[in-house]
Amino acid sequence: ASSVSVYFRELNSGKWTGINEKEKFAPGSLLKVAVMLAYLRMVEDNPSVLNEVVFYTQKNDPGQFFKPKHLLSTGNQTVKDLLVSMVTESDNQAVALLDNLHPDKILLILAGLHIPIPERFDDDFITAKEYSIFFRALYNGNYVSHNLSEQALDLLSKTTFDQGIVSGLPKNTIVSHKFGEQTTY
C-alpha cells in the first residue's frame, strides 16, 4: 500500500485515535455496507423487498483481486441472497444488481448519514473517520431498528475474507468487518 488510513473508536466511551484519518479515499467494496443499510431501511417499510427476485449471472470480476470464495449459482436469486453474497463474499455481481434495483436509495443513505456524495464513486471522497459512521449506526441501532442492525452486524461477522484485521486475532473472536481494495493503474 502506498497510503494507509486508520481510525479506531472505542464505541462505548467514544475515545478514538487515528492515523491519516482525514485522508480521502475511494471506498470500493466498502460501500457495500451502505448498500446493505439502504436495503435494511427499505425492509423496515416493506419486508417483502427481501423476496424480490433478480436474475444473477455467475462470473468472476477480473478487476477484483480478492475474489469471492463461493459464488451464487446463475439463475433467479432473491434480494436476501444477493445481500448475503454481497456482504459475506464481497460479490461484485450481487452489488451491481442491487445498485441497479434501487440506485436512489443508496444516495439517500449517504445523505442521511452526512457522507459527502461524490460525482463518481471511484473518486477519493470518504475518510476512514467518515466511513466509521456506518458501523456506529449499526452498533447504536440508530439508523435502522436494533433488530436489523444486529442482523447486519451478524452478517458482517460472517465474511469469508480472513486476512486483514481478523488474521491477527484468536479464531473464536467475533469481528464485524468489511474489507475493500482499490487498484490503481
Side-chain angles (χ1 to χ4, degrees):
S2 60
S3 178
V4 175
S5 297
V6 176
Y7 177 77
F8 177 83
R9 181 181 180 123
E10 206 293 317
L11 293 172
N12 290 322
S13 71
K15 292 180 181 177
W16 66 273
T17 189
I19 300 168
N20 297 327
E21 73 277 359
K22 293 181 182 177
E23 184 175 328
K24 294 187 182 297
F25 64 93
S29 285
L30 296 176
L31 271 183
K32 290 173 180 161
V33 175
V35 173
M36 178 180 59
L37 279 169
Y39 274 88
L40 293 177
R41 184 54 82 93
M42 287 186 273
V43 165
E44 286 188 320
D45 296 332
N46 181 7
S48 68
V49 165
L50 291 175
N51 299 322
E52 287 181 35
V53 176
V54 180
F55 189 81
Y56 174 91
T57 302
Q58 184 188 75
K59 58 183 176 182
N60 281 321
D61 182 342
Q64 191 172 13
F65 183 78
F66 295 102
K67 300 191 182 311
K69 294 178 181 177
H70 309 98
L71 290 170
L72 294 171
S73 300
T74 294
N76 289 334
Q77 300 289 344
T78 65
V79 164
K80 182 177 181 179
D81 294 332
L82 294 172
L83 285 169
V84 169
S85 188
M86 175 189 74
V87 172
T88 62
E89 299 291 335
S90 201
D91 187 331
N92 285 348
Q93 274 62 50
V95 74
L97 289 170
L98 292 167
D99 281 346
N100 289 333
L101 277 177
H102 303 283
D104 56 322
K105 303 293 184 184
I106 312 309
L107 295 177
L108 287 174
I109 294 303
L110 295 175
L113 292 172
H114 307 289
I115 304 292
I117 298 173
E119 288 183 33
R120 295 173 12 151
F121 281 94
D122 57 352
D123 287 342
D124 294 343
F125 74 91
I126 195 167
T127 68
K129 190 172 184 176
E130 289 168 333
Y131 184 77
S132 75
I133 292 169
F134 297 130
F135 279 88
R136 287 200 324 262
L138 289 171
Y139 179 79
N140 293 324
N142 60 5
Y143 198 75
V144 295
S145 71
H146 284 282
N147 181 43
L148 288 174
S149 292
E150 285 292 322
Q151 289 178 43
L153 289 168
D154 182 58
L155 192 59
L156 287 160
S157 75
K158 292 182 167 98
T159 181
T160 60
F161 185 71
D162 57 3
Q163 298 176 44
I165 193 168
V166 296
S167 68
L169 298 173
K171 283 278 188 212
N172 61 349
T173 304
I174 298 171
V175 179
S176 296
H177 63 106
K178 181 69 188 94
F179 82 98
E181 58 181 306
Q182 179 69 24
T183 303
T184 55
Y185 299 99

